[in-house]
């Protein structure tokens, strides 16, 4: 049993206070992100599952005190220049308006949110807030850490919190975080060190939505007002590194913030590194080549390079959490024939055997999903109700029940990606065996997402997803609800499902919540056969061996680059 | 010569207008509401933000007749104002200019490599026609056209960077900022682009030289006792240059448009890579400006080619 499993077991048996329960339940950073990923960018996320390297196997402090500060695992040497390779260059360096999940790695070097998410312990941890208090279900107060300054020398205080959240919640800002924070009615600065959040309705996921730099990092008001829309390339936060240079199409460089507020467990100032350069290297092979030659210290690799990465004597592999990413998912548009017929949707779902793709497309580095969009190992995970599992006889039965025993023609849309294309062709062949003649249309990721989710042009989308959600509200709010960006019908799927989505968000008791999400999966997977996840994997990141504290680096949420050091 | 130049420059103007009008008319061809596309809004969002769309429509003059719209657009384009990138929200000119410099550096280097390979190889192929050397050169030229640059790029990275570790795998630093690292980083992309260009140039040089070498004046030059080298490199090559320059001109236009594949693989922040990423994010203002830049570079390259013709061949400037 690895440490990640230990953690999950521990968290499920621990007595959970209301406060930590709120945190635990609210651990929706990934959810927030993923949805926001597409929300701002007309759906770039649904396609390109980010290559994550969340390190599950290294819970450093296990469940730190509910309001502890995450500290470095090992005291490191100060100095050194760290380079990492990512797939995408940033869309913006303004923390309020990230355009894709990939922006987070850049933002987390320069900004801090009020609370941060310790990824191994999906609880909010203290960051710029020194304490939080749930006054009542619709009021949270944050005590602000004293003495923190923005990189431009201005003070960070409760007024800054109020100003930042007012900016994020202003529709004109087009903040990606807004949809996750929409339950915030207003923020008041009670005094210099106390910010009071007043909610419109209880929200069990709110604390973690606040705990991400993906849209909710704290920016300097002075700098935002000085640079206007050019703040996007003149970022000023309170984070461990200060912006130095952005060469579009190439890299972003940040330098050590000598006045950073955080210290490690030995009292040594963080960050350790003098400089971090994040290079956008879109080609998987070239990114791996850079890692092998030592030109970069870290990269998330594609499955095809995992075997070589594991064998490489200079590299350390960091495993992510299971269920990130979801490599294959089938989404139906319930208003578009033939997917408007439940029997036909079921026939299409039962006809597929994703294990063929896990072996042939992912070299065995992927697993077949048995249940719905709930992360394996998380408190909410359940394989029952299960998704329609491969059964040719049943597929034929449903075709007959729909009155088309000899099959039908089907338009399937997918997006340009070698793996997605290969698995969709495998599905095409499997559908053909039951008489479903599928014609595949391939578009680039943005266009296909727009064609399917926004314009509703196709009955079926064979796509991928960034994550199963360890906060199940993620899928509920971003895929199932009538307001969800990724609901191609833009209407309630059933009134009951709509009610359950809201109830799931507002319920504080874990057992009750789990039952709600069991029922949601029953509707989504079985009764409506709307959104069928098929394959997931566990992402991997690879570090050079001279990087210290690599095992507490997390790709998602808080990247903790302040804790990395070079040996 | 001066009259020729003036005439050629005057001819350049309508072409320029044609190119700019074509680029402008991309806006008219956009499906749905062009303002929504320019703002990066979906149709649904455009309805929600109707007021903003209307205001922007007025600001851009898109509520005016088409000729007026074109005039306004051209006025802004001449001042370098192409609006803001939908993706980065920064002025489009700020996105393009630094990348244009990068692409120009790589292109010039690639062109030099092309010429250094193509001229000797093409001349050698013609002089020693049907020899083993000629066949080898032909084979390499065919291979350069046939082998896809992405494959070649990956193979070179695996060999020179990973296996032998003599070159850095990818990235770009201007050789003016850091000559050693800058040149090292340039070696692979420039060789690939240069080799690719050399293939066509070599074939063109060979056939042009073959034609020229069989002409009477070359025989006369040899007969009057001129050295073989001088006959080939001075007398023959100069007259064989016209078709070579035509290809060279096209190549300049092509290279300045940026090589999407080579720039993407080697993570060179040039305009080819920007074009690819802008298309995938449907960043229309950037795409429009890039199409204009690429169109203009082709037109300017052809103008330079014509000027070079006149310099090389007096018949053209007196025509």
């Amino acid at each position: 049993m690895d440490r990640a499993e230990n953690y999950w077991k521990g968290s499920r048996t621990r007595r959970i206070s209301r406060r930590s329960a709120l945190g635990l339940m609210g651990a929706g950073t990934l959810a927030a992100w993923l949805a926001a990923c597409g929300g701002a960018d007309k759906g770039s996320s649904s396609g390109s599952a980010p290559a994550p390297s969340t390190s599950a196997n290294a819970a450093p402090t296990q469940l730190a005190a509910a309001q502890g500060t995450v500290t470095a695992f090992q005291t490191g040497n100060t100095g050194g220049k760290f380079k990492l390779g990512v797939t995408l260059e940033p869309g913006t360096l303004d923390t309020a308006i990230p355009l894709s999940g990939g922006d987070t790695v850049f933002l987390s070097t320069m900004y801090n949110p009020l609370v941060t998410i310790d990824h191994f312990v999906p609880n909010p941890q203290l960051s710029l807030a020194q304490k939080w208090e749930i006054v009542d279900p619709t009021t949270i107060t944050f005590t602000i850490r004293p003495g923190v300054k923005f990189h431009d020398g201005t003070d960070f205080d409760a007024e800054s919190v109020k100003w930042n959240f007012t900016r994020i919640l202003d529709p004109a800002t087009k903040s990606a975080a807004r949809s996750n924070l929409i339950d915030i009615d207003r923020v008041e600065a009670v005094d210099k060190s106390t910010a009071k959040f007043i909610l419109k309705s209880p929200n069990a996921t709110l604390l973690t939505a606040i705990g991400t730099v993906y849209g909710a990092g704290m920016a300097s008001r002075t700098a935002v007002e000085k640079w206007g829309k050019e703040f996007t390339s003149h970022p000023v936060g309170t984070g461990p590194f200060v912006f130095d240079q952005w060469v579009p199409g190439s890299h972003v460089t940040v330098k050590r913030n000598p006045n950073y507020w955080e210290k490690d467990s030995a009292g040594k100032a963080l960050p350790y590194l003098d400089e971090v350069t994040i290079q956008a290297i879109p080609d998987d092979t070239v990114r791996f080549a850079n890692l092998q030659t030592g030109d970069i210290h870290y990269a998330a690799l594609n499955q095809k390079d995992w075997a070589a990465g594991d064998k490489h004597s200079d590299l350390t592999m960091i495993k992510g959490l299971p269920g990130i990413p979801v490599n294959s998912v089938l989404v139906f548009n319930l208003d578009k024939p033939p997917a408007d017929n439940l029997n036909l949707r079921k026939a299409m779902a039962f006809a597929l055997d994703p294990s063929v793709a896990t072996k042939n497309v992912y070299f065995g580095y992927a697993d077949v999903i048995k249940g719905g969009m709930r992360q394996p190992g998380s408190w909410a995970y359940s394989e029952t109700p299960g998704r329609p599992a491969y059964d040719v006889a049943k597929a034929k039965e449903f075709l007959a029940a729909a009155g088309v025993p000899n099959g039908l023609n089907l338009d399937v849309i997918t997006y340009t990606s070698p793996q997605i294309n290969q698995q969709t062709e495998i599905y095409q062949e499997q559908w053909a065996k039951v008489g479903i003649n599928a014609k595949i249309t391939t578009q680039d990721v943005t266009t296909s997402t727009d064609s399917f989710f926004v314009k509703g042009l196709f009955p079926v989308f064979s796509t991928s997803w960034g994550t199963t959600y360890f906060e199940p509200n993620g899928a509920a709010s971003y895929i199932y609800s009538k307001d969800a960006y990724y609901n191609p019908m833009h209407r309630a799927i059933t009134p009951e499902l709509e009610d359950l989505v809201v109830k799931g968000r507002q319920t504080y008791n874990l057992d009750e919540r789990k039952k709600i999400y069991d029922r949601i999966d029953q509707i989504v997977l079985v009764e409506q056969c709307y959104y069928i996840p098929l394959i997931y994997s566990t992402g991997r990141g690879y570090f050079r061996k001279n990087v210290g504290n690599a095992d507490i680096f997390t790709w998602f949420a808080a990247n903790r680059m302040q804790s990395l050091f070079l040996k | 010569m001066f009259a020729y130049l003036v005439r050629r420059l005057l001819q350049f103007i309508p072409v320029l207008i044609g190119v700019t009008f074509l680029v402008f008319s991309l806006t008219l061809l956009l499906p749905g509401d062009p303002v929504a596309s320019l703002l990066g809004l979906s149709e649904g969002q455009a309805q929600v933000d109707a007021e903003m769309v209307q205001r922007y429509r007025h600001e851009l003059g898109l509520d005016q007749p088409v000729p007026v719209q074109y005039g306004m657009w051209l006025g802004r384009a001449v001042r370098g104002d192409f609006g803001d990138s939908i993706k980065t929200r920064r002025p489009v000119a700020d996105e393009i200019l630094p990348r244009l410099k990068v692409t120009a550096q790589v292109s010039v280097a690639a062109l030099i490599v092309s010429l250094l390979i193509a001229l000797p190889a093409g001349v050698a192929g013609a002089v020693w026609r049907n020899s083993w050397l000629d066949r080898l050169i032909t084979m390499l030229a065919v291979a350069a056209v046939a082998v896809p640059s992405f494959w070649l790029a990956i193979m070179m990275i695996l060999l020179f960077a990973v296996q032998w570790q003599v070159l850095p795998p990818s990235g770009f630093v201007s050789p003016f900022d850091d000559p050693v690292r800058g040149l090292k980083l340039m070696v692979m992309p420039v060789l690939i682009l240069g080799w690719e260009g050399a293939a066509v140039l070599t074939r063109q040089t060979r056939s042009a030289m073959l034609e020229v070498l069989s002409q009477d004046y070359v025989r006369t030059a040899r007969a009057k006792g001129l050295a073989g080298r001088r006959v080939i490199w001075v007398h023959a090559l100069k007259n064989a240059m016209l078709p070579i320059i035509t290809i060279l001109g096209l190549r300049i236009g092509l290279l300045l448009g940026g090589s999407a594949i080579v720039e993407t693989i080697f993570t060179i922040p040039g305009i080819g890579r920007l074009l690819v990423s802008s298309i995938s994010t449907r960043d229309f203002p950037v795409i429009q400006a890039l199409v204009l830049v690429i169109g203009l570079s082709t037109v300017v390259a052809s103008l330079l080619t014509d000027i070079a013709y006149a310099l090389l061949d007096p018949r053209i400037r007196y025509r």
Side-chain angles (χ1 to χ4, degrees):
Chain A
M1 186 189 291
D2 68 14
R3 282 184 284 177
E5 281 177 62
N6 269 327
Y7 160 64
W8 288 115
K9 291 229 163 190
S11 76
R12 292 178 70 174
T13 52
R14 195 172 295 107
R15 200 171 74 79
I16 295 169
S17 68
R18 189 175 139 194
R19 181 175 295 159
S20 57
L22 178 70
L24 197 59
M25 288 184 286
T29 314
L30 293 183
W33 249 65
L34 250 286
C37 237
D41 191 22
K42 304 317 305 148
S44 60
S45 90
S46 81
S48 56
S53 73
T54 45
S55 23
N57 50 356
T61 54
Q62 300 303 320
L63 244 190
Q67 297 202 10
T69 306
V70 181
T71 48
F73 191 54
Q74 188 189 342
T75 294
N77 316 316
T78 301
K81 295 179 178 180
F82 179 76
K83 290 185 180 178
L84 69 161
V86 297
T87 320
L88 300 169
E89 58 180 306
T92 171
L93 297 179
D94 181 347
T95 179
I97 50 166
L99 298 168
S100 76
D103 288 350
T104 307
V105 68
F106 298 90
L107 299 174
S108 65
T109 60
M110 293 173 277
Y111 297 97
N112 293 125
L114 275 189
V115 292
T116 188
I117 311 301
D118 181 340
H119 193 73
F120 322 102
V121 182
N123 255 349
Q125 305 282 314
L126 294 168
S127 178
L128 288 178
Q130 210 174 21
K131 196 178 107 182
W132 72 73
E133 192 180 348
I134 317 286
V135 181
D136 60 55
T138 56
T139 313
I140 310 173
T141 58
F142 290 91
T143 305
I144 305 304
R145 188 175 297 280
V148 175
K149 286 190 184 296
F150 288 107
H151 302 153
D152 59 4
T154 54
D155 289 334
F156 170 75
D157 56 21
E159 271 300 330
S160 319
V161 177
K162 180 184 170 186
W163 180 84
N164 268 284
F165 278 92
T166 308
R167 176 173 183 244
I168 291 162
L169 293 169
D170 179 358
T173 308
K174 293 190 182 167
S175 172
R178 186 171 175 264
S179 61
N180 313 322
L181 302 170
I182 202 75
D183 281 339
I184 299 173
D185 182 56
R186 63 188 187 281
V187 177
E188 292 173 358
V190 178
D191 54 45
K192 213 170 159 48
S193 62
T194 315
K196 189 199 269 184
F197 283 60
I198 295 147
L199 313 184
K200 292 175 198 157
S201 57
N203 186 324
T205 71
L206 190 74
L207 214 48
T208 40
I210 291 171
T212 168
V213 290
Y214 188 81
M218 295 292 104
S220 157
R221 177 179 186 171
T222 312
V224 172
E225 287 175 350
K226 177 183 169 192
W227 291 105
K229 67 180 181 185
E230 286 185 36
F231 181 72
T232 178
S233 48
H234 297 87
V236 178
T238 59
F241 297 93
V242 181
F243 174 72
D244 179 49
Q245 187 191 34
W246 177 8
V247 179
S250 177
H251 63 271
V252 170
T253 302
V254 291
K255 298 213 156 150
R256 195 151 79 89
N257 175 3
N259 304 313
Y260 188 54
W261 55 269
E262 198 180 350
K263 299 203 173 358
D264 69 11
S265 49
K268 192 172 177 183
L270 292 173
Y272 301 124
L273 297 163
D274 279 343
E275 190 180 292
V276 173
T277 298
I278 309 172
Q279 292 179 314
I281 309 173
D283 189 276
D284 293 326
T285 308
V286 179
R287 205 165 49 251
F288 186 33
N290 274 274
L291 190 63
Q292 286 172 285
T293 57
D295 281 71
I296 55 174
H297 298 93
Y298 169 83
L301 301 181
N302 185 293
Q303 270 103 337
K304 75 178 172 60
D305 296 319
W306 285 5
D310 290 346
K311 275 188 226 149
H312 202 288
S313 57
D314 294 333
L315 302 179
T316 307
M317 187 267 283
I318 304 289
K319 227 179 189 177
L321 291 174
I324 308 171
V326 177
N327 305 93
S328 176
V329 62
L330 216 59
V331 197
F332 292 107
N333 182 338
L334 277 49
D335 290 341
K336 186 89 181 164
D340 59 344
N341 183 317
L342 176 62
N343 284 324
L344 291 179
R345 292 199 295 276
K346 287 192 172 175
M348 291 177 226
F350 275 113
L352 298 186
D353 177 9
S355 69
V356 177
T358 59
K359 284 182 209 122
N360 297 297
V361 180
Y362 298 101
F363 314 105
Y365 289 123
D367 296 289
V368 172
I369 296 182
K370 295 187 177 124
M373 290 290 276
R374 289 186 274 175
Q375 190 170 338
S378 71
W379 64 269
Y381 184 67
S382 174
E383 291 182 357
T384 48
R387 65 163 182 85
Y390 178 54
D391 189 332
V392 172
K394 269 194 183 166
K396 286 183 175 165
E397 268 173 42
F398 281 112
L399 281 175
V404 283
N406 297 325
L408 71 155
N409 291 329
L410 177 68
D411 276 328
V412 181
I413 184 169
T414 187
Y415 73 89
T416 320
S417 146
Q419 291 173 330
I420 302 294
N421 300 150
Q422 285 162 18
Q423 71 201 18
T424 306
E425 280 162 19
I426 289 172
Y427 301 155
Q428 184 183 37
E429 206 174 296
Q430 293 173 347
W431 275 323
K433 286 183 184 156
V434 296
I436 298 171
N437 174 29
K439 185 183 146 220
I440 301 171
T441 301
T442 308
Q443 297 177 342
D444 73 80
V445 62
T446 318
T447 315
S448 61
T449 307
D450 194 55
S451 299
F452 185 80
F453 290 108
V454 180
K455 300 202 172 99
L457 298 177
F458 290 83
V460 188
F461 192 13
S462 169
T463 183
S464 66
W465 217 255
T467 175
T468 47
Y469 293 86
F470 66 68
E471 163 49 61
N473 175 56
S477 287
Y478 302 123
I479 310 168
Y480 308 154
S481 110
K482 69 176 163 51
D483 299 320
Y485 179 85
Y486 296 109
N487 173 344
M489 289 74 71
H490 310 293
R491 61 162 173 82
I493 289 163
T494 69
E496 186 196 354
L497 181 61
E498 203 56 34
D499 290 345
L500 286 169
V501 169
V502 176
K503 212 170 147 193
R505 199 165 62 223
Q506 295 184 350
T507 301
Y508 285 74
N509 180 291
L510 275 188
D511 293 333
E512 275 178 42
R513 283 194 89 198
K514 190 158 186 287
K515 282 181 197 151
I516 292 170
Y517 291 108
D518 283 346
R519 177 67 195 136
I520 286 179
D521 270 1
Q522 177 72 21
I523 296 172
V524 170
L525 300 173
V526 183
E527 292 173 18
Q528 291 297 319
C529 193
Y530 154 54
Y531 186 99
I532 312 292
L534 297 165
I535 297 170
Y536 75 86
S537 54
T538 305
R540 290 181 182 191
Y542 290 81
F543 277 91
R544 298 284 300 179
K545 282 208 164 131
N546 64 339
V547 179
N549 284 340
D551 51 353
I552 64 164
F553 181 87
T554 64
W555 190 250
F556 285 128
N559 282 298
R560 300 290 311 157
M561 243 178 279
Q562 60 266 48
S563 301
L564 296 180
F565 66 92
L566 295 175
K567 291 173 193 164
Chain B
M1 182 69 189
F2 181 72
Y4 172 79
L5 267 181
V6 171
R7 202 166 58 237
R8 196 58 197 82
L9 280 171
L10 285 175
Q11 284 168 354
F12 180 61
I13 293 168
V15 179
L16 210 58
I17 292 173
V19 169
T20 53
F21 187 76
L22 277 176
V23 174
F24 157 77
S25 56
L26 288 176
T27 321
L28 307 175
L29 296 173
L30 282 176
D33 186 342
V35 181
S37 297
L38 286 167
L39 290 172
L41 300 174
S42 70
E43 283 165 34
Q45 280 174 312
Q47 280 162 14
V48 174
D49 295 330
E51 198 184 316
M52 182 176 75
V53 170
Q54 200 48 42
R55 196 177 63 237
Y56 202 73
R57 193 188 309 283
H58 183 71
E59 272 175 31
L60 288 176
L62 292 175
D63 48 0
Q64 304 282 331
V66 171
V68 179
Q69 283 184 36
Y70 172 63
M72 290 174 75
W73 177 84
L74 196 61
R76 284 194 301 272
V78 167
R79 292 195 301 272
D81 177 7
F82 294 97
D84 293 341
S85 158
I86 290 166
K87 188 181 167 205
T88 64
R89 303 187 188 188
R90 296 195 299 183
V92 170
D94 291 357
E95 292 289 329
I96 291 180
L97 282 177
R99 296 178 194 241
L100 198 59
K101 280 185 204 160
V102 172
T103 296
Q105 289 178 41
V106 176
S107 303
V108 168
L111 217 59
I112 292 170
V113 168
S114 289
L115 282 172
L116 287 178
I117 297 173
L119 288 185
V123 169
V127 173
W128 292 291
R129 190 182 177 187
N130 291 333
S131 66
W132 66 268
L133 183 66
D134 181 29
R135 290 203 182 94
L136 180 71
I137 289 168
T138 305
M139 200 179 77
L140 287 174
V142 171
V145 177
V147 175
S149 55
F150 68 85
W151 183 84
L152 194 62
I154 298 282
M155 286 301 123
M156 285 181 85
I157 289 172
L158 291 178
L159 281 178
F160 291 99
V162 179
Q163 199 66 33
W164 299 325
Q165 307 208 345
V166 289
L167 292 170
S170 67
F172 180 84
V173 176
S174 171
F176 300 109
D177 297 337
D178 182 346
V180 176
R181 185 159 173 83
L183 288 172
K184 272 185 164 183
L185 283 167
M186 265 202 178
V187 170
M188 286 193 280
V190 163
L191 274 181
I192 290 169
L193 289 172
W195 192 42
E196 212 176 71
V200 189
L201 273 176
T202 304
R203 300 299 298 155
Q204 195 62 49
T205 309
R206 182 182 176 274
S207 59
M209 279 298 282
L210 277 177
E211 197 184 322
V212 172
L213 285 176
S214 64
Q215 287 188 9
D216 291 346
Y217 80 92
V218 173
R219 199 163 48 241
T220 310
R222 286 191 206 279
K224 73 181 183 185
L226 283 179
R229 267 190 207 157
R230 192 173 163 77
V231 173
I232 291 164
W233 290 103
V234 179
H235 292 252
L237 187 60
K238 192 177 174 188
N239 282 306
M241 278 311 272
L242 283 190
I244 297 170
I245 280 178
T246 311
I247 300 289
L248 207 59
L250 290 173
R251 190 74 197 154
I252 291 172
L254 212 66
L255 282 172
L256 286 179
S259 164
I261 292 169
V262 170
E263 285 183 0
T264 302
I265 291 181
F266 287 103
T267 57
I268 297 169
I271 60 174
R273 191 173 167 202
L274 179 63
L275 186 62
V276 173
S277 67
S278 305
I279 290 171
S280 66
T281 52
R282 292 190 296 174
D283 196 339
F284 188 78
V286 177
I287 297 170
Q288 195 179 33
L290 282 176
V291 172
L292 184 67
V293 167
I294 293 165
L296 284 183
S297 58
T298 308
V299 173
V300 171
S302 85
L303 177 75
L304 292 176
T305 309
D306 285 356
I307 293 171
Y309 277 177
L311 287 174
L312 283 168
D313 190 343
R315 287 169 302 180
I316 290 174
R317 55 181 185 254
Y318 293 125
R319 195 174 287 162

